[in-house]
Amino acid sequence: MTHPAQPKASHFINGEYVEDTAGTPIPVIYAATGEQIATVHAATPAIVEQALSTAKAAQKEWAKMTGTERGRILRRAADIMRERNRDLSVLETYDTGKPLQETLVADATSGADALEYFGGLAASLTGEHIPLGEDWVYTKREALGLCVGIGAWNYPTQIACWKGAPALACGNSMVFKPSETTPLCALKVAEILIEAGAPAGVFNVVQGMGEVGGALVTDPRVDKVSLTGSVPTGKKVYAAAAAGMKHVTMELGGKSPLIIFDDADIDNAVGGAINGNFYSSGQVCSNGTRVFVQKGIKEKFLARLAERTGNAILGDPMDEATSFGPMVTENQMNIVLGYIEKGKEEGARVICGGARADMDGYYIQPTVFADVTDEMTIAREEIFGPVMSVLDFETEEEVVARANDTEFGLSAGVFTKDFTRAHRVIGNLEAGSCFINSYNDAPVEAPFGGVKASGVGRENSKEAIKHFSQVKSVYVRMGDVEAAF
Ligand code: NAD
């Protein structure tokens, strides 16, 4: 019997499901059991061509609609997503293995927020009138054209919406390629947009590995590329886009610092460290994986952290009581287990976890290392799993310098009751998305993105509009033209 997660076909182009079984088969494995639940096929060159030509043609008409009309469609899509939240959440859980307890509140809901927010902004994307004596200049905010979105595997619904909603609000069309690891959810986003009234071809989904992503990024018809992925992939995609002088948004990896001063509320700080390391089993780019704890509260912090981490419920992700799911794939599990071994070898102290969980599926115990030093591999490289490194510090000056000593710059957090210090420390940290007495909140109203190797551009908020549109300026002369000859 066909599994309910199996899509009707691999791709969604020009308003309908499309198949080409000549493409490499991509198995979809449910991480909680290791069972294959679906198969899709990578896009062949013919499918890529169909998606790009369709999106290119559809964009012109879409951009001619008023912002109010485009916005209404996006807001209707948001409503449909919310009505179907449970079904979409179950699919997200099949796609990623993340527990339903999370997907019910963080995926289709976040996607719907983006559709609603950018739907609401669509009608107000206006230019300026600039008076110059009798003459004047006016500006228009125009669409970029055909945009390509490429997703990572941790938030397949959210990433499709975070890219698709602002792109469409500005009058662009999009070809979206989900991660080959989680190909299912973006198809539903495409289906819902059509149901909400989006013209066929405005939002298309094609499947495939890096090769398909590469074919999309290098096509001369493409005006913008928005990638969510790792730094090495980001460097390749950015370079390929630069060769075609395309606009880019790069949402890449991190190794973010979370700094806890000894005046902090310990339980709130522990809660922040848990949210910033163990949500989605640690598969979150903005995670605060270097937890710097001031020496005075170190042992108290570790004791409370170990106690609360012990309350994680590992189990069937479809059981809403489960609060901690598996790694997305066996391969990701092995990568993370490799880092855990490295941490032990290099002398870090295991406070809790430190091994694979004794159950089916790709589960790793939530792991906390203490006595981590700045040079250790687990303190330098992005692990993308449930591995928290706790480092000690003494002074503010010292911790800020150590926190910034990384190629990454996605997020940063500080816990302290001293608000002057909180703002000073955040002001000195090299990171794009920061938190004071909190961690990992990502409301659509707030800009999201990194500095340094963690990325270029911003998603969400009004900032995202700037990255999916361009300004045309028009000089209007009212009098005669003066010329030298
Ligand atoms: P990845 O870099 O392996 O793949 C990302 C996407 O790029 C996939 O769809 C992949 O098929 C595609 N791709 C690979 N090579 C390509 C190429 N040469 N040209 C075009 N496309 C190509 O990342 P992943 O393993 O799927 O995701 C994990 C990474 O993503 C982590 O580093 C994580 O930090 C990052 N991430 C960042 C954010 C953010 O918003 N900053 C969010 C989630 C994940």
Side-chain angles (χ1 to χ4, degrees):
M1 211 183 75
T2 314
H3 192 278
Q6 174 66 46
K8 278 185 221 159
S10 302
H11 320 288
F12 195 95
I13 301 172
N14 206 17
E16 52 191 32
Y17 278 96
V18 177
E19 189 55 272
D20 184 351
T21 52
T24 311
I26 302 174
V28 185
I29 309 290
Y30 183 36
T33 59
E35 161 204 15
Q36 182 170 341
I37 53 169
T39 309
V40 296
H41 293 268
T44 55
I47 289 285
V48 169
E49 176 53 37
Q50 201 183 331
L52 289 173
S53 53
T54 297
K56 187 78 190 167
Q59 191 265 326
K60 298 267 178 294
E61 292 308 309
W62 177 242
K64 277 188 203 153
M65 286 169 68
T66 66
T68 306
E69 288 165 334
R70 286 199 301 272
R72 192 179 301 136
I73 291 167
L74 297 180
R75 283 184 289 109
R76 213 180 283 142
D79 291 344
I80 300 173
M81 286 193 81
R82 289 211 180 88
E83 281 158 22
R84 297 200 193 138
N85 184 42
R86 180 160 285 272
D87 288 352
L88 295 170
S89 303
V90 167
L91 189 69
E92 175 94 20
T93 292
Y94 277 131
D95 220 3
T96 60
K98 291 185 293 181
L100 200 54
Q101 190 189 91
E102 285 187 16
T103 57
L104 281 170
V105 297
D107 293 283
T109 52
S110 159
D113 284 355
L115 288 161
E116 184 177 9
Y117 177 85
F118 289 106
L121 282 186
S124 53
L125 306 179
T126 55
E128 272 188 293
H129 172 265
I130 304 162
L132 292 163
E134 285 195 343
D135 294 353
W136 42 284
V137 166
Y138 67 93
T139 65
K140 290 174 74 181
R141 189 154 284 281
E142 295 188 337
L144 297 174
L146 167 49
C147 301
V148 160
I150 300 179
W153 41 254
N154 54 348
Y155 283 83
T157 306
Q158 184 186 86
I159 293 172
C161 293
W162 282 19
K163 297 188 189 308
L168 267 53
C170 295
N172 304 284
S173 60
M174 178 165 273
V175 175
F176 184 80
K177 190 199 82 63
S179 163
E180 57 272 35
T181 306
T182 52
L184 305 177
C185 296
L187 292 167
K188 287 289 170 199
V189 174
E191 221 183 278
I192 287 170
L193 279 163
I194 287 292
E195 219 179 307
V202 159
F203 185 81
N204 309 275
V205 176
V206 297
Q207 308 292 350
M209 280 66 92
E211 203 187 336
V212 171
L216 294 171
V217 171
T218 49
D219 192 281
R221 287 166 290 187
V222 171
D223 301 292
K224 149 121 201 180
V225 178
S226 176
L227 169 82
T228 297
S230 60
V231 172
T233 303
K235 287 181 179 166
K236 281 189 228 161
V237 172
Y238 198 175
M245 206 59 83
K246 300 176 198 302
H247 296 253
V248 294
T249 296
M250 294 283 144
E251 290 293 349
L252 309 175
K255 190 75 199 175
S256 302
L258 169 54
I259 301 173
I260 298 166
F261 286 94
D262 59 14
D263 66 341
D265 178 293
I266 294 258
D267 257 305
N268 284 335
V270 166
I274 288 173
N275 289 343
N277 280 271
F278 299 139
Y279 202 71
S280 302
S281 297
Q283 302 167 114
V284 179
C285 52
S286 50
N287 272 357
T289 47
R290 290 184 295 144
V291 180
F292 291 94
V293 182
Q294 206 164 14
K295 274 196 172 142
I297 54 161
K298 176 185 163 182
E299 291 308 329
K300 205 168 154 197
F301 176 86
L302 287 173
R304 190 71 183 119
L305 179 63
E307 190 186 328
R308 284 182 56 182
T309 303
N311 295 333
I313 301 173
L314 282 67
D316 175 3
M318 293 296 175
D319 178 346
E320 282 181 50
T322 297
S323 57
F324 189 86
M327 295 289 97
V328 73
T329 57
E330 186 171 18
N331 183 43
Q332 186 63 18
M333 176 184 74
N334 289 331
I335 291 171
V336 176
L337 289 173
Y339 276 111
I340 290 176
E341 284 319 302
K342 260 266 155 35
K344 292 176 186 168
E345 273 164 40
E346 293 181 7
R349 170 163 60 110
V350 177
I351 298 294
C352 54
R356 188 175 175 174
D358 185 17
M359 56 204 286
D360 287 343
Y362 312 132
Y363 290 82
I364 295 179
Q365 299 165 358
T367 297
V368 177
F369 280 109
D371 306 338
V372 176
T373 57
D374 297 343
E375 309 70 40
M376 288 183 188
T377 309
I378 55 169
R380 301 218 68 80
E381 297 182 14
E382 184 185 44
I383 300 176
F384 224 58
V387 182
M388 186 193 307
S389 293
V390 179
L391 305 97
D392 318 341
F393 76 94
E394 284 181 32
T395 69
E396 178 184 319
E397 200 183 6
E398 167 211 339
V399 77
V400 167
R402 289 170 59 200
N404 285 337
D405 183 18
T406 167
E407 63 165 321
F408 299 109
L410 186 49
S411 294
V414 58
F415 276 83
T416 176
K417 289 200 184 101
D418 178 343
F419 258 68
T420 315
R421 175 160 65 188
H423 293 290
R424 188 173 56 233
V425 168
I426 287 294
N428 287 327
L429 289 173
E430 296 160 3
S433 303
C434 299
F435 308 91
I436 292 177
N437 292 332
S438 190
Y439 206 86
N440 259 356
D441 315 76
V444 67
E445 296 87 343
F448 181 79
V451 303
K452 293 157 78 179
S454 291
V456 175
R458 291 292 177 270
E459 295 199 300
N460 287 342
S461 78
K462 285 178 259 177
E463 289 294 315
I465 295 295
K466 295 183 192 154
H467 297 285
F468 277 107
S469 61
Q470 57 197 344
V471 173
K472 174 178 278 175
S473 93
V474 182
Y475 190 105
V476 180
R477 182 175 295 282
M478 302 301 284
D480 295 332
V481 175
E482 275 182 35
F485 51 87

